[in-house]
Amino acid sequence: MRSDAVTKGMQQAPHRSLFNALGMTEEELNRPLVGIVSSYNEIVPGHMNLDKIVEAVKMGVAMAGGTPIVFPAIAVCDGIAMGHLGMKYSLVTRDLIADSTECMALAHAFDALVMVPNCDKNVPGLLMAAARVNIPTIFVSGGPMLAGHVKGQKRSLSSMFEAVGAYAAGTMTEEEVKEFENKVCPTCGSCSGMYTANSMNCLTEVLGMGLKGNGTIPAVYSERLKLAKHAGMQVMELLKRDIRPRDIMTEKAFMNALTVDMALGCSTNSMLHLPAIAHEAGIELNMDIANEISAKTPNLCHLAPAGPTYIEDLNEAGGVYAVMNELNKKGLLYTDLLTVTGKTVGENIEGCVNRNPEVIRPVENPYSQTGGIAVLRGNLAPDTAVVKRSAVAPEMLKHEGPARVFDCEEDAIAAIKGGKIVAGDVVVIRYEGPKGGPGMREMLNPTSAIAGMGLGSSVALITDGRFSGASRGASIGHVSPEAAVGGPIALVEEGDIIQIDINANTLNVKISEEEMAARKAKWQPREPKVTTGYLARYARMVTSGNRGAVLELKD
């Protein structure tokens, strides 16, 4: 056992004295030490119930003969951080989470780990740590929030942001906004649509790192506690069989994740996180593969914000495994891959039927024959850009219009809410990428303002930043190279004609190569927005969005 380094032998007597100080018995120290990474805190709604999940995991570990020991991981609530300085600190925590978990796991010689995340960067950060540390590990998340109800309709956080846009447009009263405010987020859990948190929790199942239901069982269901106990028990089986994350998160597992991503219509943030997790597993994911997978993968789900159904509905319809079983009818998945259940993907999904064809379309009747996410290229995005195609109005799949250029999110929001953006415009927000932000802020405020003001089917938004999973419409993010390094998005001028063809996977600005070169020759790098602290260090080390915004040491 790895923990022998701190529990066995005369040289470890000082170590054992410190375990004695913790109140640990000799019997506990003779068992495997299982680290439980708890993301519990009192600021993230998706994490306020994790103390109960952790207690259930501890019970499961102990029942199966292990000694559970809890240590923490941080988490930022993207919703609370949205639209101000705080959003610069969202994506960057992914690496802090991975680094600190690595430090704790290896410094204390744990034999195995149970990861208990839920929201946004917490899930990919811990998946990165699992791949990096590579000791037997299982995931159990806190679960999704139930949808809210306003005037007889299910609603969620994206509805709330759009209500603010509707108020600015004069189509909603303050009292109506207040009703949304009080009702759209009714329980603990990760926000109820197919936003980033739920996307990554669902994809954790697909990667093989979580048990059935990890992505979909609502946070308030007692079934979630039973799942946590089973996860605690199952990690002991993984330890016994020495099944490790890199045995599970293989290149084919990431192909499965991309395939199910396309079918579910996940957040575009998955296009940042999957390459970053794969990188830690020693696998380089070329995002061009996403279009190849999308071309043959039908989009089966239109979960909020793309449609009127929610994660609770997906759970009742059969969950992630039912979606996978539908895809398997067309032979789109690798089914012989190992998972944390100890069984293969094929064994896991066998018999998992689709119980609601309105929530999970059968493969014979998909929303579209192609997947929910598209990767675009062109002279505006030579290294790629990303859009959630399944959440784009059909009339915006092909669009041409004048650029309205803004060098930060705040200026764009002021223009949108001030009525200065009109139908046909293409809003360009730049210097918000991984380096330029720094931190690659999500742009839920401007996308929601556009939708709330009734412009969602006539105005596009392009940025080197990124979008919340709650964004909908022709919202194209991750434009690479970013403006801060002199990418073409830095060279766009007010009034330039932008051409978008999502079906053709292209994104271009209508200027000649000669004009582009002349503008490039005049371009000068900008002074960093942040020069001290963690963000400054992050900006110096972070790579482009098309590489997953991973950190890289520079010579």
Side-chain angles (χ1 to χ4, degrees):
M1 289 289 175
R2 296 168 189 82
S3 59
D4 289 354
V6 294
T7 60
K8 301 291 191 296
M10 184 54 65
Q11 288 296 320
Q12 281 65 45
H15 304 71
R16 289 193 297 275
S17 73
L18 293 166
F19 282 110
N20 286 335
L22 290 167
M24 286 209 176
T25 64
E26 186 175 336
E27 291 83 357
E28 286 174 294
L29 293 183
N30 285 330
R31 295 178 171 190
L33 302 185
V34 179
I36 301 174
V37 187
S38 171
S39 304
Y40 169 76
N41 63 47
E42 294 182 342
I43 186 64
V44 184
H47 290 223
M48 63 182 283
N49 66 320
L50 295 191
D51 55 340
K52 295 177 178 61
I53 302 293
V54 166
E55 288 303 313
V57 171
K58 288 173 66 177
M59 178 70 77
V61 169
M63 285 193 297
T67 297
I69 303 173
V70 180
F71 65 88
I74 65 168
V76 164
C77 176
D78 277 21
I80 294 174
M82 193 71 64
H84 58 96
L85 175 67
M87 184 42 72
K88 293 179 185 289
Y89 286 92
S90 172
L91 179 62
V92 303
T93 63
R94 190 182 67 180
D95 296 277
L96 285 174
I97 291 161
D99 292 349
S100 60
T101 302
E102 172 196 354
C103 292
M104 290 293 288
L106 298 183
H108 301 103
F110 286 108
D111 297 303
L113 296 171
V114 182
M115 306 294 199
V116 187
N118 208 29
C119 291
D120 297 300
K121 313 311 158 298
N122 195 242
V123 183
L126 289 179
L127 283 165
M128 289 164 67
R132 189 187 301 174
V133 174
N134 201 35
I135 62 176
T137 301
I138 194 168
F139 277 67
V140 56
S141 76
M145 184 184 292
L146 294 178
H149 291 81
V150 181
K151 292 181 172 61
Q153 290 186 309
K154 286 186 177 181
R155 297 292 189 177
S156 61
L157 184 65
S158 57
S159 309
M160 184 70 254
F161 278 88
E162 291 179 14
V164 174
Y167 176 76
T171 58
M172 188 175 283
T173 67
E174 185 175 349
E175 290 75 19
E176 288 172 320
V177 173
K178 189 72 174 178
E179 184 179 7
F180 272 74
E181 184 180 330
N182 289 326
K183 293 182 177 179
V184 296
C185 296
T187 71
C188 62
S190 48
C191 294
S192 56
M194 187 53 82
Y195 310 149
T196 305
N198 292 324
S199 294
M200 294 311 302
N201 282 323
C202 287
L203 294 181
T204 298
E205 277 191 64
V206 184
L207 283 170
M209 292 298 294
L211 300 177
K212 179 185 178 184
N214 181 66
T216 60
I217 297 171
V220 295
Y221 283 14
S222 297
E223 189 181 353
R224 174 68 55 179
L225 298 176
K226 293 165 67 175
L227 180 74
K229 291 173 186 175
H230 283 132
M233 289 186 273
Q234 186 60 25
V235 79
M236 299 304 297
E237 181 66 20
L238 296 175
L239 179 59
K240 178 182 175 182
R241 295 175 57 180
D242 195 27
I243 297 174
R244 307 188 192 196
R246 290 194 186 194
D247 299 326
I248 295 169
M249 290 193 284
T250 62
E251 185 172 4
K252 288 181 178 179
F254 284 100
M255 295 302 104
N256 279 353
L258 284 168
T259 299
V260 178
D261 188 330
M262 296 297 172
L264 284 172
C266 290
S267 163
T268 51
N269 282 315
S270 63
M271 295 294 105
L272 279 176
H273 300 323
L274 288 174
I277 299 160
H279 179 76
E280 294 291 350
I283 299 163
E284 296 306 315
L285 272 189
N286 180 347
M287 280 297 93
D288 284 328
I289 193 71
N291 283 340
E292 294 179 32
I293 291 173
S294 179
K296 60 184 180 181
T297 304
N299 178 226
L300 305 182
C301 299
H302 267 192
L303 296 149
T309 53
Y310 293 79
I311 302 300
E312 62 192 65
D313 302 313
L314 177 61
N315 186 63
E316 294 301 318
V320 174
Y321 279 13
V323 174
M324 294 174 73
N325 213 15
E326 284 289 342
L327 294 172
N328 198 39
K329 292 176 183 177
K330 293 187 69 174
L332 294 174
L333 297 177
Y334 295 100
T335 57
D336 59 346
L337 308 182
L338 187 62
T339 71
V340 290
T341 66
K343 301 176 182 178
T344 65
V345 169
E347 290 171 321
N348 287 343
I349 67 175
E350 186 177 0
C352 294
V353 298
N354 177 1
R355 295 194 289 267
N356 189 339
E358 297 301 314
V359 176
I360 305 171
R361 288 277 187 95
V363 287
E364 301 83 9
N365 181 36
Y367 282 101
S368 66
Q369 294 294 339
T370 54
I373 288 178
V375 174
L376 313 182
R377 281 184 185 270
N379 69 353
L380 190 51
D383 291 343
T384 69
V386 178
V387 63
K388 187 170 182 174
R389 173 166 43 197
S390 59
V392 178
E395 57 268 38
M396 289 298 289
L397 290 170
K398 189 171 185 178
H399 180 74
E400 183 173 307
R404 304 298 308 279
V405 183
F406 304 94
D407 288 349
C408 67
E409 178 187 5
E410 289 82 357
D411 290 350
I413 292 170
I416 296 165
K417 290 187 175 178
K420 297 179 180 178
I421 302 301
V422 299
D425 284 349
V426 179
V427 176
V428 177
I429 306 177
R430 60 191 181 190
Y431 294 100
E432 290 284 9
K435 286 183 181 295
M440 203 178 187
R441 288 195 285 180
E442 287 186 343
M443 303 288 176
L444 181 55
N445 274 350
T447 59
S448 298
I450 287 170
M453 297 187 75
L455 297 171
S457 59
S458 60
V459 168
L461 196 156
I462 297 172
T463 181
D464 52 8
R466 59 195 180 91
F467 295 110
S468 165
S471 292
R472 61 188 177 99
S475 303
I476 300 168
H478 310 192
V479 171
S480 304
E482 63 175 290
V485 298
I489 192 171
L491 311 177
V492 175
E493 295 181 358
E494 187 81 9
D496 284 347
I497 300 301
I498 307 290
Q499 293 178 313
I500 301 165
D501 192 335
I502 294 172
N503 289 330
N505 304 117
T506 59
L507 177 63
N508 291 290
V509 54
K510 286 182 71 173
I511 59 174
S512 66
E513 291 183 17
E514 292 78 15
E515 175 63 16
M516 186 78 84
R519 293 183 188 181
K520 177 70 173 176
K522 296 177 187 175
W523 179 82
Q524 293 292 322
R526 300 196 172 193
E527 289 295 318
K529 293 178 184 176
V530 180
T531 58
T532 60
Y534 179 60
L535 284 179
R537 296 198 304 276
Y538 181 89
R540 286 196 293 270
M541 296 176 66
V542 71
T543 61
S544 181
N546 71 301
R547 295 184 55 198
V550 298
L551 299 188
E552 200 170 69
L553 293 173
K554 305 291 195 301
D555 294 330

